[in-house]
C-alpha cells in the first residue's frame, strides 16, 4: 500500500475515534439515558383520597428540577461555564423532546451570582438562561426564587427581587393552577421571621393565599356558595396544594436520607443551620398549618431526600440539575391529579461516564499512533534492507 494511502487511513480512523467520542458524549448519551424515564401512572398514586382512576392524560405532567446555578462573570471560569451549561441545555432539550411535560418548575438558584451581579452581567446571565431553557408554547416554564438569585436574607433587597420577578413576569409568591391542581410557589428566602419589609410582604401574601384556599375548600364542602368571612376571597379548585420552594422545611440533618442521589455518607450527619440550610422551625410550622400541603418539593441542598413532617406531610428534596454540583444530576417527573399524585426520578448521564469515554478515546488514539509509528518504523527498516541488498548485488 502506498505511503499516502496509509496516512489517509490513519487520519480517517483518528477522526472517526475523536468524532465518535465527541458525538456520543455531547449529544447521543442523553437519549438512551432519558429514554429510561417514563411518566408514572396515576393509578399507583399516593397523597390523595386513594386511587381516583384518573389517566395520565387527564392529570398534570410536571417536570421538576432545581439549582441550575448558571455561572456568572465573577466566579465562573469560561470552560467550566461552557461545559456545565452545555450539559444542562442538552439534558433539558432532550427531556422536553422525549417526555413533553405540560409544565416545568425550577426550584430556585437559577443563577449563581444573581445576588451580586451588575445589570450588564445580569442581562447576560438571563440571555443565556433563555437560550438554554427555551421551550415551545405547549410547555409552561415556572421559575422560583433562590438565595443565589437575590441573595441570602441579609443580602436581599427590593431591587434584586423585583429584577428577578420582572425577568420571569410573575410574583415570587403565588398559586399556579393547572387542570384543577394548585401549585403553591413560596419565596422561602423571605421567611426569615424578623419583620423585614420583604418578609412582611411575603408573609402577608401567604396569609391571603391561605385564606383563599381554605375558603375554597370550605365552600366546596358546604355546597352553599361563599362562606361567612370569605367575602372577596379568590376561589381556587378545592384541593390541598402542592407546595414548591427553594429552602427545605426544617430538619436536623440528612441522616435519614438514602438513595444514590443522597448526600455523601460523610456529610449526612452534619447538622443543618436554621435560616441558612433549611427554614426555621417556626416558619416551617406556619407553612404546614396555613396550607396543609399534600406534598412539598424543595431544592437548595443539591442532594435528594424524602422526609415526612408531622407524620403526614411528605417533602421531597430535588437534587441539583448541574454537573457542577453533583456527578449524577436528576429531576422529578410528577403526574398529579386533583386528589392524587405519583412521582418518579429521572437520572441524567454521570459526568464520570463522559470523562471515562473521553479518556478511553484518548487511549485508543495513543495506541493507534504508536501502532502507526511502529508499522512505519518496520516498513522503513524493510525498505532499508532491500536497498542495502540491491546495493551489495551491484
Amino acid at each position: 500500500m502506498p505511503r499516502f494511502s496509509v496516512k489517509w487511513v490513519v487520519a480517517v480512523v483518528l477522526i472517526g475515534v475523536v468524532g465518535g467520542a465527541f458525538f456520543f458524549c455531547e449529544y447521543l448519551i442523553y437519549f438512551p439515558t432519558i429514554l429510561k424515564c417514563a411518566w408514572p401512572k396515576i393509578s399507583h398514586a399516593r397523597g390523595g383520597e386513594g386511587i381516583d382512576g384518573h389517566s395520565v392524560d387527564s392529570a398534570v405532567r410536571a417536570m421538576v428540577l432545581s439549582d441550575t446555578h448558571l455561572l456568572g462573570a465573577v466566579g465562573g471560569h469560561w470552560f467550566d461555564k461552557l461545559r456545565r451549561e452545555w450539559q444542562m441545555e442538552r439534558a433539558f432539550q432532550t427531556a422536553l423532546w422525549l417526555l413533553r411535560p405540560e409544565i416545568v418548575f425550577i426550584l430556585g438558584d437559577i443563577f449563581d451570582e444573581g445576588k451580586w451581579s451588575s445589570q450588564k452581567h445580569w442581562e447576560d446571565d438571563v440571555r443565556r438562561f433563555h437560550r438554554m431553557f427555551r421551550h415551545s408554547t405547549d410547555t409552561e416554564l415556572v421559575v422560583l426564587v433562590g438565595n443565589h438569585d437575590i441573595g441570602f436574607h441579609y443580602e436581599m433587597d427590593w431591587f434584586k427581587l423585583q429584577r428577578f420577578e420582572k425577568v420571569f413576569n410573575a410574583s415570587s409568591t403565588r398559586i399556579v393552577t393547572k387542570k384543577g391542581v394548585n401549585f403553591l410557589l413560596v419565596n422561602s428566602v423571605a421567611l426569615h421571621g424578623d419583620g423585614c419589609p420583604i418578609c412582611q410582604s411575603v408573609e402577608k401574601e401567604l396569609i391571603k393565599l391561605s385564606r383563599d384556599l381554605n375558603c375554597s375548600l370550605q365552600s366546596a364542602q358546604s355546597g352553599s356558595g361563599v362562606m361567612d368571612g370569605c367575602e372577596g376571597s379568590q376561589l381556587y379548585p378545592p384541593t390541598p396544594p402542592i407546595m414548591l420552594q427553594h429552602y427545605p422545611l426544617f430538619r436536623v440533618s440528612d441522616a435519614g436520607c438514602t438513595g444514590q442521589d443522597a448526600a455523601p455518607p460523610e456529610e449526612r450527619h452534619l447538622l443543618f443551620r436554621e435560616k441558612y440550610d433549611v427554614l426555621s422551625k417556626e416558619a416551617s410550622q406556619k407553612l404546614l398549618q396555613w396550607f396543609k400541603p399534600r406534598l412539598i418539593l424543595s431544592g437548595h441542598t443539591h442532594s435528594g431526600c424524602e422526609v415526612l413532617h408531622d407524620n403526614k406531610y411528605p417533602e421531597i428534596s430535588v437534587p441539583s440539575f448541574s454537573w457542577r454540583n453533583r456527578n449524577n444530576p436528576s429531576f422529578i417527573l410528577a403526574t398529579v391529579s386533583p386528589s392524587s399524585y405519583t412521582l418518579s426520578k429521572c437520572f441524567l448521564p454521570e459526568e464520570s461516564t463522559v470523562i471515562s469515554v473521553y479518556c478511553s478515546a484518548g487511549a485508543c488514539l495513543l495506541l493507534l499512533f504508536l501502532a502507526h509509528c511502529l508499522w512505519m518504523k518496520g516498513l522503513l527498516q524493510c525498505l532499508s534492507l532491500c536497498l542495502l541488498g540491491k546495493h551489495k548485488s551491484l
Side-chain angles (χ1 to χ4, degrees):
M1 183 183 292
R3 288 184 63 184
F4 73 89
S5 298
V6 173
K7 288 182 178 179
W8 275 109
V9 169
V10 172
V12 168
V13 171
L14 293 178
I15 292 171
V17 171
V18 173
F22 179 83
F23 182 71
F24 176 78
C25 290
E26 306 304 327
Y27 289 93
L28 190 60
I29 193 172
Y30 296 97
F31 286 89
T33 306
I34 296 177
L35 273 172
K36 297 176 183 177
C37 308
W39 292 103
K41 303 293 184 181
I42 201 73
S43 58
H44 300 291
R46 57 182 178 176
E49 298 174 355
I51 297 173
D52 60 4
H54 284 81
S55 68
V56 173
D57 292 334
S58 65
V60 181
R61 292 182 300 177
M63 176 177 164
V64 185
L65 53 119
S66 187
D67 292 88
T68 51
H69 284 272
L70 271 70
L71 293 173
V74 177
H77 186 274
W78 70 268
F79 183 76
D80 191 18
K81 188 184 297 185
L82 173 69
R83 187 79 197 94
R84 273 54 190 270
E85 290 184 7
W86 176 256
Q87 169 258 322
M88 289 191 287
E89 180 177 352
R90 293 317 317 150
F92 185 76
Q93 295 302 323
T94 305
L96 287 190
W97 192 72
L98 294 176
L99 299 171
R100 302 191 182 280
E102 297 171 81
I103 190 166
V104 177
F105 295 99
I106 306 181
L107 304 182
D109 278 3
I110 313 302
F111 309 105
D112 197 57
E113 298 178 3
K115 55 188 177 181
W116 61 52
S117 60
S118 66
Q119 189 61 27
K120 178 183 177 182
H121 294 151
W122 169 261
E123 290 172 358
D124 179 64
D125 293 344
V126 169
R127 177 188 56 78
R128 290 181 2 252
F129 172 83
H130 285 310
R131 185 201 71 231
M132 293 165 56
F133 293 94
R134 61 191 181 276
H135 55 91
S136 69
T137 54
D138 296 333
T139 299
E140 182 179 359
L141 179 64
V142 179
V143 171
L144 283 76
V145 68
N147 56 288
H148 276 266
D149 301 314
I150 61 173
F152 283 98
H153 173 265
Y154 59 87
E155 301 169 303
M156 175 180 64
D157 57 38
W158 283 112
F159 172 75
K160 295 173 189 173
L161 178 60
Q162 290 170 354
R163 180 173 71 172
F164 184 91
E165 291 180 336
K166 182 180 179 181
V167 164
F168 298 106
N169 196 29
S171 168
S172 61
T173 299
R174 68 191 192 278
I175 291 176
V176 173
T177 300
K178 205 168 187 69
K179 291 186 177 180
V181 178
N182 296 315
F183 296 97
L184 171 66
L185 315 183
V186 177
N187 179 355
S188 55
V189 183
L191 296 181
H192 212 68
D194 64 349
C196 76
I198 296 178
C199 302
Q200 289 181 349
S201 175
V202 168
E203 187 163 324
K204 181 180 178 181
E205 183 62 26
L206 287 171
I207 291 172
K208 178 185 179 299
L209 292 175
S210 172
R211 176 177 175 269
D212 291 345
L213 281 173
N214 288 329
C215 287
S216 301
L217 288 167
Q218 292 171 12
S219 297
Q221 291 168 357
S222 67
S224 58
V226 179
M227 302 290 291
D228 292 339
C230 290
E231 296 82 4
S233 63
Q234 181 176 344
L235 293 181
Y236 292 97
T239 177
I242 306 288
M243 190 164 74
L244 303 102
Q245 58 193 46
H246 181 64
Y247 282 119
L249 296 182
F250 176 80
R251 61 178 184 258
V252 175
S253 68
D254 272 352
C257 306
T258 57
Q260 64 187 98
D261 59 352
E266 64 273 13
E267 297 180 8
R268 292 181 196 175
H269 293 276
L270 298 177
L271 298 181
F272 283 146
R273 294 163 289 180
E274 290 187 64
K275 305 179 182 181
Y276 189 85
D277 299 312
V278 292
L279 288 179
S280 67
K281 291 180 183 178
E282 180 184 2
S284 300
Q285 284 303 311
K286 279 184 179 180
L287 289 173
L288 294 177
Q289 290 169 7
W290 286 341
F291 296 103
K292 297 177 174 55
R294 50 184 170 138
L295 174 67
I296 304 108
L297 295 168
S298 60
H300 188 59
T301 65
H302 299 171
S303 299
C305 190
E306 185 169 351
V307 182
L308 189 63
H309 299 280
D310 297 342
N311 294 317
K312 55 181 174 181
Y313 302 117
E315 178 181 11
I316 306 294
S317 288
V318 182
S320 174
F321 193 69
S322 173
W323 275 344
R324 186 169 182 261
N325 298 317
R326 59 182 308 108
N327 180 52
N328 58 339
S330 63
F331 58 89
I332 296 289
L333 294 176
T335 305
V336 190
S337 75
S339 61
S340 299
Y341 70 86
T342 185
L343 309 174
S344 66
K345 191 166 289 185
C346 184
F347 284 91
L348 301 179
E350 295 184 359
E351 186 175 29
S352 58
T353 300
V354 172
I355 293 173
S356 297
V357 171
Y358 276 128
C359 289
S360 299
C364 288
L365 289 177
L366 181 60
L367 290 173
L368 285 171
F369 179 75
L370 291 175
H372 174 66
C373 290
L374 291 173
W375 186 85
M376 290 301 296
K377 183 180 179 181
L379 181 62
L380 289 172
Q381 287 179 345
C382 182
L383 290 173
S384 297
L385 290 173
C386 289
L387 291 173
L388 184 60
K390 288 182 179 179
H391 179 71
K392 287 182 178 179
S393 64
L394 293 174

